Amino acid sequence: MKSNGKMAQLTATPRTEKKGAALRLLRQGGRVPAVVYGPGQEGAAIHVDEKEMLKVARTGRSEMFNLNVEGGKTVPVLIKDQQERNGRLLHVDFLQISKNKPISVSVSIDFQGTAAGSKAGGVFQTQETQLEVEGLPADLPTSIEVDVSGLEIGDRLTAGDIKLDKGLTLVTSPDSIVASVMPPQAVEEEPTASADEAAPEAEEGQSAEE
């Protein structure tokens, strides 16, 4: 799924505050401390409006947008990382990118449909919720739709089975299992076996500590 239209804009203000008390004051004022990293340069400390940041963050980490730094220049960026607590943004790392240079990002998997094996009594399980792909920033999707309706009991869907849009290359190992449909019996037996096996391990760990 790709977004259409103009690239989103986010305004940032340079900051010199780097200590806890000063950062808390910024957050109380509705600002989010952040750092923007660029190729071959150290990170530049900035802060952004939390409400505006949340609008951008909802589009997904693979979404490219323009970061307008006050007193500086406008650069295309992606969200590299973000820290949250109790639904509040604490810190964001932005990555400055080149529109003409491929990059690797993790993209959320959007599972579509109901597995046929689930309707027959099996249990649908997801082993991966993201795929790492490489492509030009403009080609990166905000999510990757995967139709699982054809999965029967005992079937496994690997990363290599997923068809990617043109311009994208899979970075995740193609053998990585993304989803599977387990027989109901296997799912019921698994926790019991795990609990029995975990008991001696816990005792060994305790003995080792003593």
Side-chain angles (χ1 to χ4, degrees):
M1 181 178 70
K2 291 187 174 74
S3 64
N4 297 315
K6 238 175 143 183
M7 259 177 41
Q9 308 283 320
L10 181 67
T11 300
T13 304
R15 67 179 168 90
T16 55
E17 307 92 342
K18 295 182 180 179
K19 294 186 178 179
L23 297 183
R24 280 195 295 273
L25 284 174
L26 274 177
R27 294 185 184 108
Q28 288 170 7
R31 308 292 294 182
V32 180
V35 176
V36 56
Y37 296 93
Q41 65 183 40
E42 290 186 9
I46 56 173
H47 58 89
V48 297
D49 182 81
E50 183 177 17
K51 290 181 180 178
E52 293 302 312
M53 178 62 218
L54 286 172
K55 290 179 185 177
V56 173
R58 287 193 189 102
T59 64
R61 290 193 184 181
S62 59
E63 182 79 7
M64 180 174 63
F65 60 95
N66 282 325
L67 186 68
N68 306 317
V69 182
E70 292 178 357
K73 55 185 180 178
T74 298
V75 293
V77 297
L78 293 174
I79 298 172
K80 181 181 180 183
D81 193 21
Q82 61 187 45
Q83 300 170 20
E84 301 178 26
R85 184 187 298 160
N86 299 325
R88 294 290 304 274
L89 277 175
L90 296 182
H91 191 275
V92 181
D93 288 338
F94 297 106
L95 178 64
Q96 183 180 339
I97 57 176
S98 168
K99 295 180 181 180
N100 302 315
K101 184 178 179 181
I103 57 172
S104 264
V105 295
S106 292
V107 182
S108 297
I109 301 172
D110 182 10
F111 293 102
Q112 298 284 315
T114 302
S118 296
K119 297 177 182 178
V123 179
F124 176 76
Q125 296 182 330
T126 58
Q127 280 74 33
E128 297 288 346
T129 57
Q130 293 185 325
L131 281 183
E132 188 174 359
V133 297
E134 183 179 80
L136 292 175
D139 291 333
L140 297 174
T142 54
S143 64
I144 296 173
E145 293 186 357
V146 178
D147 183 6
V148 298
S149 58
L151 293 180
E152 302 283 354
I153 292 177
D155 285 350
R156 292 181 174 183
L157 177 74
T158 66
D161 294 328
I162 297 174
K163 185 178 179 181
L164 299 177
D165 289 341
K166 186 179 179 181
L168 296 180
T169 303
L170 182 67
V171 177
T172 299
S173 169
D175 296 327
S176 294
I177 298 173
V178 173
S180 58
V181 182
M182 303 294 292
Q185 219 174 17
V187 176
E188 288 170 8
E189 291 173 359
E190 189 177 343
T192 307
S194 299
D196 292 342
E197 290 168 6
E201 290 177 5
E203 289 174 7
E204 285 175 11
Q206 189 174 359
S207 301
E209 288 176 5
E210 293 172 357

